[in-house]
Amino acid sequence: MLALLLLLLAGQLTAQVSDPSPINFPIPKNIENMLFYLQRDPNTNTLIYALNLQENGSINRSQPVSIYWLRYGEHGEKKELGYIQKKFAYGLVTKEIAKDKFELRFVSHKTLPLYLSKVGEKYTVTVAVNGKTIKINRLFIRIVGGSFWLPNVRYALIEGIDLVTGKSLAEKITIK
């Protein structure tokens, strides 16, 4: 997983995907407060990154994002992340930087900031790559082999909306 997030900074961005996954991934639907989702080989299990609200409806400022699995391989069961997944791979380090704005960084690679901010009445997560600011809808990690601690990550794909043009886009990050 560390290799995946290193890709986010170390690679070249392109819109073409020359090595697509052979897996047909489901699209999560009707997920309450979903900000974005992450999918990766080798299976269809999907990580959901959702706005973490308190009982009164306000954002949980100490932990603004809730992360959990949708285990599509197990009938779509919702399951919390394990300790190792949370602390070394898919978890987030968060920091409030202004009213209704948070910096998010993956625990496995803290140099690429994502930003959770309130736009109107809705929170969104954005990232700046290749001179573009993208509202993230989906992150995809193409993994082919490797091991648990050192997966062979071919590329990462950021899918979302370009905030300047309003157009859908996919930015691929590869290792050179």
Side-chain angles (χ1 to χ4, degrees):
M1 190 63 208
L2 177 60
L4 151 74
L5 293 174
L6 287 174
L7 286 174
L8 292 174
L9 291 178
Q12 171 186 347
L13 298 175
T14 62
Q16 299 275 333
V17 177
S18 61
D19 181 26
S21 175
I23 298 172
N24 184 18
F25 290 94
I27 298 172
K29 293 185 182 349
N30 303 318
I31 307 296
E32 190 173 4
N33 299 315
M34 184 172 73
L35 297 164
F36 66 92
Y37 61 101
L38 187 150
Q39 295 175 316
R40 81 284 177 272
D41 296 317
N43 60 49
T44 60
N45 294 334
T46 299
L47 286 150
I48 302 296
Y49 291 77
L51 190 62
N52 188 14
L53 299 175
Q54 300 181 98
E55 288 182 22
N56 66 4
S58 66
I59 191 166
N60 181 328
R61 292 189 149 17
S62 64
Q63 187 180 351
V65 179
S66 173
I67 309 164
Y68 59 90
W69 289 102
L70 275 186
R71 309 285 287 193
Y72 286 111
E74 300 167 17
H75 309 291
E77 175 185 341
K78 181 178 174 179
K79 188 173 181 183
E80 296 302 313
L81 271 67
Y83 178 81
I84 291 172
Q85 295 166 340
K86 193 181 302 182
K87 296 295 182 182
F88 297 101
Y90 305 112
L92 295 173
V93 174
T94 64
K95 179 172 114 180
E96 188 169 9
I97 56 176
K99 183 178 183 336
D100 295 324
K101 186 167 185 177
F102 299 83
E103 182 182 86
L104 313 173
R105 295 180 187 256
F106 281 97
V107 294
S108 54
H109 189 52
K110 296 177 182 154
T111 60
L112 180 69
L114 309 177
Y115 294 98
L116 170 65
S117 55
K118 193 171 187 180
V119 178
E121 292 300 312
K122 187 174 181 179
Y123 281 90
T124 61
V125 176
T126 59
V127 64
V129 290
N130 200 26
K132 299 174 186 171
T133 302
I134 303 168
K135 177 194 170 291
I136 302 171
N137 293 330
R138 176 185 187 240
L139 297 175
F140 174 72
I141 303 157
R142 177 74 166 112
I143 300 170
V144 180
S147 67
F148 176 78
W149 288 106
L150 292 170
N152 180 18
V153 177
R154 295 257 176 101
Y155 61 83
L157 192 66
I158 301 169
E159 297 176 0
I161 305 294
D162 183 317
L163 290 183
V164 173
T165 66
K167 294 181 180 178
S168 294
L169 64 98
E171 292 289 340
K172 180 182 172 185
I173 302 168
T174 57
I175 296 177
K176 286 189 166 187

